[in-house]
Amino acid sequence: MTAADRCDRCGAQAYVRVVLLSGGELLFCAHHGRKFEPELKKIAAEIQDETERLTAVPASEEER
Ligand SMILES: [Zn+2]
């Protein structure tokens, strides 16, 4: 996902992509991804969760 991907609910940067069993696709921010996760698991063929990127330390920072 890129910074251009936006949450369908609030317009924040998306970190969760949900591919639906019906063939559609939904994007959610970390907040809404967590909020709707129980529902999404029932209808999703695949859930791509990149919320760990929110807390990950960039490689360039790690060496300091
Ligand atoms: Zn959101």
Side-chain angles (χ1 to χ4, degrees):
M1 275 177 273
T2 70
D5 289 321
R6 295 285 153 181
C7 174
D8 288 338
R9 293 287 164 153
C10 68
Q13 186 173 344
Y15 285 94
V16 181
R17 182 197 305 274
V18 181
V19 180
L20 301 175
L21 292 169
S22 58
E25 191 179 272
L26 297 172
L27 293 169
F28 294 104
C29 64
H31 170 76
H32 284 115
R34 264 196 297 275
K35 183 176 178 183
F36 294 120
E37 189 180 25
E39 291 300 312
L40 294 174
K41 279 183 172 168
K42 297 176 194 168
I43 58 170
E46 186 186 333
I47 298 179
Q48 183 185 355
D49 186 341
E50 294 187 359
T51 52
E52 72 272 13
R53 280 165 48 204
L54 284 170
T55 52
V57 179
S60 57
E61 297 287 326
E62 236 166 344
E63 291 172 19
R64 285 183 198 164

